[in-house]
Amino acid sequence: MLRVEKLCAGYGEIQVLNDVTLHVAFGEIVAIVGANGAGKTTLLRVIMGSLGARSGSVSFDGRRLSGLAPHRIAACGVRLVPEGRRVFPALSVEENLLVGAILRSRVEAAREMERMYALFPVLAERRRAPASTLSGGQQQMLALGRALMGRPRLLALDEPSLGLAPIVVESIFRSLAELRSADTCILLVEQNARKALALADRGYVLENGRIALEGKADDLSRDRSVIHAYLGGEEGREAGA
Ligand code: ATP
């Protein structure tokens, strides 16, 4: 499983994460919810190795990730679907997917590609199109497909619903539900707390870089402070979307 223990991290003078401790077991989907600037992306940066920890540790499947270079962390089966998708706009759908299979053989890459096209048929239809011509939702599917091409054992997602219409968010979250498997951990960072907690098994609330609350996703979605801070406002946002 993924284990984050007493993690502190930040940028220059700014300390963003303070003693963050959490875990994600194989087979679980765990949501991290929190407001803008709570430190969610920073947490993912440390897990992925693009930002060093000041103290504390991150380990996955018994192996310490803290201190490893990002490509070594990727080789441990860890993949991120970044905020804002970050697909390669000039590359075709197929080429974007192949980038995700860089550590795999040709035969494996071809097999994974077919799996992605079965999961996201619209990507198969647009396989030769430059990624820049896809809609936001299709780009999100492509970013997810690219990460899945590496058959991750830890899949981290940063705000997959951001900027997408509710109907598209539904479809992305349905795909995530299909990805649940006994040998994979999924860590889902979301401002859309309602959607994230509806999908996840457990959740953590990150406030100002600290874990303010943790528990079963069902319990968190009924918690008054969570409803007040993260679910009430969202209803309005969704209704207005
Ligand atoms: P959002 O949903 O807006 O992305 P977040 O919970 O992911 O929010 P972070 O992006 O982790 O939050 O940011 C946490 C804090 O760290 C914020 O105050 C932000 O301004 C600051 N921060 C983020 N990146 C940097 C950076 N590269 N240099 C300095 N400060 C940063």
Side-chain angles (χ1 to χ4, degrees), residues 33-123:
V33 300
N36 260 336
K40 305 182 296 300
T41 298
T42 301
L43 171 65
L44 293 183
R45 281 189 189 134
V46 179
I47 293 172
M48 299 307 300
S50 59
L51 178 69
R54 289 184 174 163
S55 59
S57 67
V58 178
S59 62
F60 178 59
D61 203 13
R63 181 156 185 209
R64 195 179 165 101
L65 299 186
S66 342
L68 292 184
H71 68 284
R72 297 219 179 279
I73 294 176
C76 295
V78 179
R79 291 286 184 286
L80 171 70
V81 181
E83 184 173 343
R85 356 274 186 223
R86 310 256 182 96
V87 293
F88 298 104
L91 299 186
S92 69
V93 165
E94 193 142 308
E95 288 163 341
N96 268 277
L97 289 174
L98 283 173
V99 170
I102 208 138
L103 298 174
R104 318 207 61 191
S105 71
R106 273 180 176 216
V107 176
E108 285 172 335
R111 198 175 51 223
E112 291 307 323
M113 186 96 69
E114 288 316 308
R115 203 168 66 94
M116 288 316 117
Y117 288 153
L119 188 63
F120 304 116
V122 69
L123 296 184

Side-chain angles (χ1 to χ4, degrees), residues 110-236:
R111 198 175 51 223
E112 291 307 323
M113 186 96 69
E114 288 316 308
R115 203 168 66 94
M116 288 316 117
Y117 288 153
L119 188 63
F120 304 116
V122 69
L123 296 184
E125 285 163 25
R126 316 247 7 231
R127 66 176 79 192
R128 310 254 175 264
S132 59
T133 63
L134 301 185
S135 68
Q138 290 167 353
Q139 289 192 5
Q140 186 64 70
M141 288 172 202
L142 181 56
L144 181 53
R146 181 180 58 188
L148 294 173
M149 288 288 288
R151 277 255 175 198
R153 292 187 310 135
L154 168 61
L155 177 67
L157 300 108
D158 196 356
E159 307 275 6
S161 76
L162 197 70
L164 301 181
I167 190 164
V168 182
V169 174
E170 280 302 330
S171 141
I172 297 282
F173 273 65
R174 260 199 312 275
S175 310
L176 292 179
E178 284 176 31
L179 296 174
R180 185 195 292 278
S181 95
D183 56 1
T184 310
C185 303
I186 299 183
L187 182 62
L188 172 63
V189 158
E190 260 292 354
Q191 277 189 49
N192 189 333
R194 182 179 302 281
K195 276 267 164 293
L197 292 174
L199 173 70
D201 304 294
R202 289 188 303 110
Y204 295 86
V205 176
L206 193 62
E207 274 177 14
N208 300 319
R210 292 182 188 277
I211 301 291
L213 212 57
E214 62 179 278
K216 287 189 181 156
D218 280 352
D219 295 342
L220 288 180
S221 55
R222 282 195 292 263
D223 183 280
R224 289 178 70 87
S225 64
V226 174
I227 292 171
H228 179 71
Y230 302 106
L231 300 182
E234 196 168 85
E235 259 172 6

